[in-house]
Each structure stands twice: as C-alpha cells, then as structure tokens.
C-alpha cells in the first residue's frame, strides 16, 4: 500500500505492507538508520521519532497510521541543533545507540517546558533507555540545553 507523510520537511510516498511498523518503513524505504531497533515492543525508546511533535516509538506504530503526519528524525535536526550541541558538550553518550531517540525526546520536552525540573526530566525521558548508563550526563545535557538556549527554545526549536 502507498502511504504519504512528511519526513523532515519533505513530502514522501512509501510502500508499506498492512502489518508493517513505521520503524521498518523509515529504515527500508528512506534509509533513515538513526531510527533504531532494539526491543521491538515499545519499551526502550531507541526507535523514537517525533510524530506531529510528539515522541513516538515507531516499532509499535503501524506505518499506515502515519498517513498525513509530520515526522521528524534526528537527520532533520541537521547536526547543529541546540539540543544536539548540548548532548555533545555534556558528553551525554558512549556508544550513541540511544542518542537519536534521547535527543528527539529532549527536544519535545523542552518545547513543552523550557525549564523542566529534575523530576520532570526524569519522568519525561523515562521511556528512553541507555544501556551504557549515561543517565546523569543525559540529564546534564537537558539542563544545559534548557539553560543556555532558553530563548531560542521559547521561540520554537
Ligand atoms: S525498539 Fe521501539 S521501543 Fe524499543
Ligand atoms: S550511549 Fe550507549 S546506549 Fe546510550
């Protein structure tokens, strides 16, 4: 079946089988390998993308349900996004496998709340697991992004 949606600002039309998850379609049809498969059951957050601005686990979202949606992957942030820079500055990763999903979830959090309290950061990011155990540095990165780029975030990042 054909499915049409926007990915990183571009309209695309892709082939998807009725039972296929968005994760597989993004990787196979569009080569977006930053969208990562790990648990496959919506627990780890490695496959997170933003769907209409909300962090969503694509391993449990049927591709057909993405019809007409606006999808953002880490490729769409371009590499110099303030949250990406904060993750680099805070050294908030080791292997980097979880990092795309972490950054996209953090971006969504900071758009919702530009100055989140510690508890809110931990709760909001709780659906993204890091097997390298970088949680404290990830929290530092979110705080760094919030403190250093509050103005641009408030204006829309
Ligand atoms: S691979 Fe999707 S949540 Fe783990
Ligand atoms: S940095 Fe390795 S899984 Fe998070």
């Amino acid at each position: 079946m054909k499915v049409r949606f926007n990915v990183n600002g571009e309209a695309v039309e892709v082939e998807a089988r009725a039972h296929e998850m968005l994760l597989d379609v993004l990787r196979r049809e569009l080569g977006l390998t930053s969208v990562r498969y790990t648990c496959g059951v919506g627990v780890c957050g490695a496959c997170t993308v933003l769907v209409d601005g909300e962090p969503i686990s694509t391993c449990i979202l049927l591709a057909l349900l993405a019809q007409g949606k606006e999808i953002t992957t880490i490729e769409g942030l371009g590499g110099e996004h303030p949250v990406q820079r904060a993750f680099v500055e805070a050294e908030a990763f080791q292997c980097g496998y979880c990092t795309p999903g972490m950054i996209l979830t953090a971006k969504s959090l900071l758009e919702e709340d530009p100055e989140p309290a510690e508890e809110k950061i931990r709760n909001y990011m709780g659906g993204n697991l890091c097997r390298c155990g970088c949680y404290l540095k990830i929290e530092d990165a979110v705080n760094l992004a919030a403190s250093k780029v509050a103005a641009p975030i408030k204006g829309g990042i």
Side-chain angles (χ1 to χ4, degrees), residues 35-94:
V35 188
R36 291 172 175 157
Y37 180 87
T38 305
C39 70
V41 291
V43 170
C44 74
C47 63
T48 300
V49 305
L50 301 180
V51 178
D52 290 344
E54 298 292 324
I56 298 289
S57 294
T58 54
C59 68
I60 53 171
L61 178 68
L62 285 170
L64 298 180
L65 296 180
Q67 180 84 26
K69 304 287 189 188
E70 184 70 47
I71 294 165
T72 304
T73 70
I74 200 75
E75 289 87 349
L77 269 53
E80 293 297 323
H81 188 281
V83 181
Q84 289 176 297
R85 290 204 306 268
F87 268 69
V88 172
E89 195 172 329
E91 300 178 347
F93 47 82
Q94 286 184 29

Side-chain angles (χ1 to χ4, degrees), residues 92-99 102 129-134 138:
F93 47 82
Q94 286 184 29
C95 76
Y97 197 82
C98 70
T99 309
M102 287 285 184
L129 305 183
C130 175
R131 62 187 169 183
C132 297
C134 299
I138 289 166

Side-chain angles (χ1 to χ4, degrees), residues 3 5-6 28 62:
V3 186
F5 44 72
N6 288 339
R28 184 192 66 236
L62 285 170

Side-chain angles (χ1 to χ4, degrees), residues 3-16 20-35 49 63 66 69 71-73 75:
V3 186
R4 295 185 186 88
F5 44 72
N6 288 339
V7 178
N8 300 328
E10 279 189 34
V12 298
E13 180 180 275
V14 296
E15 284 289 339
E20 258 191 316
M21 298 300 161
L22 184 60
L23 165 65
D24 300 309
V25 172
L26 291 174
R27 291 179 63 92
R28 184 192 66 236
E29 296 288 311
L30 301 172
L32 295 168
T33 53
S34 71
V35 188
V49 305
K69 304 287 189 188
I71 294 165
T72 304
T73 70
E75 289 87 349

